[in-house]
Amino acid sequence: MAACVELTGISKRFGGTQALAGVDLTVERGTVHALVGENGAGKSTLGKVIAGVVQPDSGEYMLAGRAVHLSSPRQALEAGVTMMAQELSLVPARSVVENVYLGIEDHSGPFVRGKELDRRFAALVEETGIGVNPRASVGDLPIGDRQKVEILRAVARDAGVIVMDEPTARLTGDETAALKSLIRRLAESGRTIIFVSHFLGEVLDIADIVTVMRDGEIVRTSPVASETEESLIEGMTGRSFTANFPTRRPPALDAKELLTIQGLSRESAFSDVDLMVREGEIVVITGLVGSGRSEVLHAVFGDASVDSGSMTLSGQVFAPRSPSQALRSGLAFVPESRKEQGLFLNMSVESNITMPHLRRFGSFGFVSQGAALGQAATSVEAVGVRTEKVTTPITSLSGGNQQKVLFARALVEDPVLLLADEPTRGVDVAAKRAIYDLLVSLAERGMGILMVSSETEEVLGLAHRVIVMHEGRVVAELDGESATEEQIMNAAFITSGRAT
């Protein structure tokens, strides 16, 4: 096959961090070429260089045999390259169809031809199998549906090279399968797909070639047929992993009920939800996107109102009217999207950890900076955040370390119950294992954990009990030790009734 993208000696530094160090890469036309590596390995930066989002400090970029200097995504698109970014770049106030065709609309004079856009959108949905209401405002969509819009937007640009950075991170199993099929069709039609992903099983399933990166350099490039998940992990980390999940110990036989939910309902979100979490227990809620999983967590944390039902916490009536009240009651929350819902992106690591807890570090409106810095240093060490100092900007950390900062913040007050919504989304295999170790250790200390996860392997590897939701209702409660993927999927797709 002919080379489509050829990079020679590509280097990029961000402040004191060498993101790429003399990278040489050849991507053949009409292939699915995967980039894998830990957070901070440079794979997303490399994808952004290819798509014109980031300009390298040095090196040569050849596109279809011609030297190019792509100074912007628009210039890259004109050259036939587009990117579906990991961090969504949509316009919340605009509709789905407007976002998909933003900048490439059909015009009649100064006016956009709306009917023609509708026709193109319908054809695009038929081609991809990814459906979203074209009239919906993107800002009102759940994160999973926004991911679909980003995928449609990338495909609509009809580029010869498409960089996909974590495209399946927010999709269900069926949606992921549809995307895989679409990617294969795109490659067979002559398009080149550069596929950046943490999901190694998907990489092995869909890619033709895989490049393993570590510390800004390429470890190797090889056909996927010669790789396994274990070999990829060893290449990414420089060490082998003997197990994906830590040993899961059951809660004590006399463990007390910590959180009890009865008949909890909220219109258009969830209905008649019953569940219970004991001390030292990991309870995982799973189901399809839109099943009401995350909404239940937000209601427990006082971040969303409920219409009916009741909760108790350690035997006492629990009805938080705000997150701050929930925090004072001994709860903590790690949200689904660290950048949209969790982090203060213009602040330091220390500020991100201590901001919700400032009352602990001073009095009469004054904050002891020394106490705050000391707490931040203790917290980052406790959860294994890799940073030179806690005054470092949060944006300089890798995705996995940013996620650990959210855990560091959540654990400052030593909560009795931790709520975690997709706690390993968008992090690499090593960071995932670190988070799994942390969750299991917290449970062993007696903390209750109620989390949401879309990854069936993660659900089965962590949960003491599994709660499956469908269309806002609990439809199955399964023992974590004996639950199977088939049981979970069957329950997630049913339309009525309750399985036990």
Side-chain angles (χ1 to χ4, degrees):
M1 291 186 180
C4 178
V5 173
E6 296 174 271
L7 306 177
T8 306
I10 296 293
S11 295
K12 181 65 182 179
R13 178 180 289 275
F14 296 103
T17 302
Q18 186 73 48
L20 298 172
V23 169
D24 297 336
L25 178 70
T26 298
V27 179
E28 296 178 344
R29 186 185 310 279
T31 61
V32 180
H33 192 121
L35 303 178
V36 301
E38 293 188 80
N39 283 111
K43 59 189 185 299
S44 291
T45 301
L46 187 58
K48 290 175 181 177
V49 167
I50 294 171
V53 178
V54 168
Q55 288 69 54
D57 299 329
S58 60
E60 185 178 49
Y61 182 174
M62 302 283 287
L63 185 62
R66 180 172 58 91
V68 294
H69 301 278
L70 304 180
S71 59
S72 69
R74 177 171 289 277
Q75 189 176 0
L77 182 58
E78 291 170 353
V81 183
T82 192
M83 182 176 193
M84 200 200 84
Q86 181 178 354
E87 301 302 332
L88 306 186
S89 55
L90 303 173
V91 182
R94 298 242 182 151
S95 70
V96 168
V97 69
E98 288 173 326
N99 269 276
V100 169
Y101 293 104
L102 189 64
I104 56 171
E105 304 94 336
D106 292 280
H107 288 86
S108 180
F111 302 103
V112 174
R113 298 170 60 191
K115 290 184 178 180
E116 178 60 19
L117 287 189
D118 290 343
R119 185 197 65 77
R120 289 170 62 188
F121 185 82
L124 183 66
V125 169
E126 184 175 356
E127 175 192 359
T128 61
I130 298 174
V132 188
N133 179 4
R135 301 293 172 219
S137 174
V138 164
D140 294 334
L141 295 176
I143 289 176
D145 282 347
R146 295 185 202 180
Q147 183 86 355
K148 297 180 194 177
V149 177
E150 191 76 63
I151 294 168
L152 291 171
R153 183 178 179 180
V155 176
R157 273 135 180 84
D158 198 30
V161 178
I162 303 176
V163 181
M164 295 186 172
D165 194 356
E166 300 292 348
T168 64
R170 295 175 173 89
L171 301 184
T172 65
D174 269 11
E175 290 162 347
T176 296
L179 179 61
K180 289 179 182 178
S181 178
L182 169 62
I183 289 173
R184 290 309 327 170
R185 293 200 303 272
L186 291 172
E188 289 165 4
S189 71
R191 292 184 177 90
T192 302
I193 309 298
I194 297 171
F195 188 77
V196 181
S197 180
H198 289 118
F199 299 104
L200 302 184
E202 290 180 4
V203 167
L204 295 172
D205 185 40
I206 194 170
D208 302 301
I209 304 293
V210 58
T211 291
V212 181
M213 299 188 67
R214 185 168 71 235
D215 298 330
E217 299 179 345
I218 289 179
V219 175
R220 64 176 177 271
T221 296
S222 54
V224 294
S226 66
E227 298 282 3
T228 64
E229 289 194 38
E230 291 73 20
S231 68
L232 291 177
I233 291 171
E234 187 169 355
M236 290 161 53
T237 64
R239 59 192 186 279
S240 61
F241 271 46
T242 57
N244 290 330
F245 296 94
T247 300
R248 174 180 48 193
R249 296 181 177 85
L253 293 176
D254 60 349
K256 298 178 181 178
E257 291 187 9
L258 183 59
L259 175 71
T260 303
I261 298 174
Q262 292 182 316
L264 207 65
S265 300
R266 181 186 176 198
E267 187 176 0
S268 301
F270 51 85
S271 179
D272 199 28
V273 171
D274 294 344
L275 63 83
M276 181 265 292
V277 182
R278 294 184 296 165
E279 294 175 344
E281 187 176 36
I282 301 175
V283 177
V284 183
I285 307 176
T286 191
L288 304 181
V289 172
S291 61
R293 310 164 304 172
S294 298
E295 288 80 358
V296 170
L297 256 63
H298 282 277
V300 174
F301 196 56
D303 196 26
S305 61
V306 296
D307 300 323
S308 60
S310 63
M311 294 186 287
T312 61
L313 183 66
S314 299
Q316 303 296 313
V317 173
F318 179 61
R321 297 182 179 275
S322 66
S324 60
Q325 187 176 350
L327 283 170
R328 290 194 296 272
S329 299
L331 272 67
F333 190 23
V334 175
E336 179 179 11
S337 174
R338 59 179 172 267
K339 292 197 174 181
E340 292 185 17
Q341 302 170 325
L343 298 175
F344 303 104
L345 295 176
N346 61 339
M347 294 186 178
S348 66
V349 172
E350 177 268 319
S351 294
N352 270 276
I353 292 172
T354 61
M355 184 62 69
H357 314 288
L358 292 180
R359 57 185 171 78
R360 291 173 57 93
F361 310 117
S363 57
F364 304 108
F366 295 96
V367 175
S368 168
Q369 190 63 28
L373 288 170
Q375 176 64 65
T378 299
S379 296
V380 298
E381 183 177 358
V383 300
V385 176
R386 292 171 59 183
T387 180
E388 291 184 5
K389 49 189 178 181
V390 295
T391 53
T392 297
I394 191 71
T395 51
S396 68
L397 270 59
S398 68
N401 281 300
Q402 289 179 359
Q403 192 74 1
K404 291 178 187 177
V405 166
L406 292 180
F407 278 93
R409 175 202 296 170
L411 299 177
V412 166
E413 307 261 2
D414 195 20
V416 296
L417 177 66
L418 175 65
L419 309 175
D421 195 354
E422 302 284 8
T424 65
R425 171 162 287 163
V427 304
D428 62 72
V429 64
K432 277 189 176 185
R433 178 56 198 256
I435 291 172
Y436 296 155
D437 288 340
L438 176 62
L439 290 170
V440 168
S441 69
L442 293 173
E444 289 177 352
R445 284 162 38 189
M447 189 180 297
I449 296 171
L450 179 61
M451 64 178 273
V452 165
S453 177
S454 298
E455 295 185 42
T456 305
E457 182 182 10
E458 183 171 276
V459 174
L460 296 174
L462 288 178
H464 293 111
R465 280 187 299 115
V466 182
I467 305 294
V468 186
M469 293 189 66
H470 176 85
E471 294 184 350
R473 292 181 176 272
V474 173
V475 294
E477 183 175 318
L478 307 170
D479 177 73
E481 290 287 347
S482 59
T484 65
E485 181 175 1
E486 183 179 13
Q487 287 177 314
I488 291 173
M489 296 308 293
N490 285 341
F493 281 94
I494 69 171
T495 56
S496 62
R498 176 174 173 143
T500 55

